[in-house]
Amino acid sequence: LDSNKGDLLWEYKTGKTVPSCPVVVNDRVYIGSDRYLYCLDTYGNLLWRYKTGDYVWSSPAVANNKVYVGSDDHYVHCLNVETGILIWKYKTESDIFSSPAIAYGKVYVGSDDNNLYCLNADTGDLIWKFRTGKEVYSSPAIANNRLYIGSDDGYLYCFNANTGDIIWAHNFGHPISMSPAVNKDRVYVGNHFVSCLNATTGKIVSEYGDKCLNKGCNSPIIANNRLYVSSYYSGCLLCFYNKNNRKSTKIRIFGSIG
């Protein structure tokens, strides 16, 4: 779409629905759909596609001329960004809905086998893993050598990103399937309400509830000192304008979001 007018510029048809989110790096668009990771140019022309062993829900991550993506085939795949040729793949014990995060020469990703994995970004070798109480659909957020991620066991975890040691874990009492967002000394996560935690201690700073969030919300996004979060089914988009969750705007969109 045209970023100013919203006009359709081009479209590319994949084999099925597209649950993955696109990543644009150096005039290339990477996105997962059906069993494939696709690479398009910014005019919508296919440059290459890579076939995994099962459906791709995970969104790709790009760093140092490599693109990383998870698949329902249980593998984390690492490809050359130019050619789509496989460099390495690492097998977990179940499907991967979580999207990889790249930092400090490492790949971090969750799996439905209940584990959070830390892999060497160049070789795919396992550095450490942590087993939570249930599936890890959430994707990692990383800041200041700390990794934040949710699990369906109800906890939001904070780890030392290098060692995998737990710094804190906050129990919300319900699955944390969405991904957290970090801004300075605050970490934000959504489910049936939007929670703001102290990023150092894991203590709740504030929480915001709205009837439009009763059936859950998507992962929060931070941009221009604003926090944005959308509901699953009620068609609401909320905007908060300070670190204590003070609501600025609420927009209702007909239909579900996400």
Side-chain angles (χ1 to χ4, degrees):
L1 304 179
D2 183 289
S3 61
N4 292 317
K5 300 178 181 179
D7 295 336
L8 178 67
L9 298 178
W10 56 262
E11 61 182 13
Y12 180 88
K13 186 174 179 60
T14 68
K16 289 189 177 180
T17 56
V18 185
S20 173
C21 294
V23 173
V24 182
V25 179
N26 295 329
D27 294 326
R28 293 191 172 202
V29 182
Y30 303 89
I31 193 164
S33 175
D34 43 74
R35 293 172 178 257
Y36 290 92
L37 177 67
Y38 294 84
C39 175
L40 312 174
D41 65 21
T42 50
Y43 298 97
N45 300 307
L46 178 67
L47 300 177
W48 55 258
R49 67 176 187 171
Y50 169 82
K51 187 176 183 180
T52 73
D54 209 329
Y55 208 81
V56 178
W57 297 82
S58 174
S59 299
V62 178
N64 300 318
N65 296 315
K66 300 179 181 68
V67 55
Y68 306 84
V69 72
S71 169
D72 277 5
D73 65 4
H74 303 183
Y75 282 94
V76 181
H77 301 259
C78 172
L79 314 174
N80 181 289
V81 292
E82 297 292 333
T83 64
I85 293 174
L86 179 69
I87 298 172
W88 57 258
K89 61 181 182 179
Y90 180 89
K91 188 175 184 180
T92 70
E93 299 171 19
S94 191
D95 302 349
I96 301 175
F97 286 82
S98 175
S99 299
I102 317 300
Y104 318 121
K106 301 176 179 66
V107 183
Y108 304 91
V109 68
S111 172
D112 288 12
D113 65 10
N114 302 359
N115 286 302
L116 168 66
Y117 290 87
C118 173
L119 310 174
N120 182 293
D122 291 325
T123 66
D125 293 333
L126 179 67
I127 297 174
W128 57 261
K129 69 177 180 179
F130 178 85
R131 187 170 185 84
T132 73
K134 292 196 74 175
E135 297 90 342
V136 182
Y137 298 114
S138 175
S139 301
I142 301 170
N144 302 318
N145 200 36
R146 294 187 176 200
L147 181 149
Y148 305 88
I149 195 167
S151 169
D152 273 22
D153 65 5
Y155 282 90
L156 179 67
Y157 292 92
C158 173
F159 297 92
N160 180 300
N162 283 322
T163 65
D165 295 332
I166 292 183
I167 297 173
W168 53 258
H170 184 91
N171 187 3
F172 284 93
H174 52 74
I176 303 297
S177 302
M178 297 298 103
S179 306
V182 184
N183 186 37
K184 298 180 181 178
D185 60 346
R186 297 289 187 263
V187 55
Y188 303 88
V189 68
N191 197 289
H192 300 291
F193 42 83
V194 181
S195 299
C196 171
L197 295 85
N198 183 295
T200 302
T201 66
K203 301 295 184 183
I204 292 287
V205 175
S206 64
E207 290 185 315
Y208 177 84
D210 192 293
K211 63 181 181 180
C212 76
L213 301 178
N214 286 345
K215 293 185 178 180
C217 61
N218 294 302
S219 301
I221 295 175
I222 298 171
N224 299 322
N225 207 32
R226 298 288 192 272
L227 178 77
Y228 301 89
V229 64
S230 61
S231 63
Y232 280 155
Y233 302 110
S234 61
C236 286
L237 174 64
L238 303 176
C239 172
F240 302 88
Y241 67 84
N242 67 21
K243 66 183 181 180
N244 292 324
N245 280 9
R246 185 173 180 182
K247 182 165 66 71
S248 172
T249 305
K250 176 180 175 182
I251 299 173
R252 183 170 294 277
I253 301 170
F254 292 101
S256 61
I257 305 174

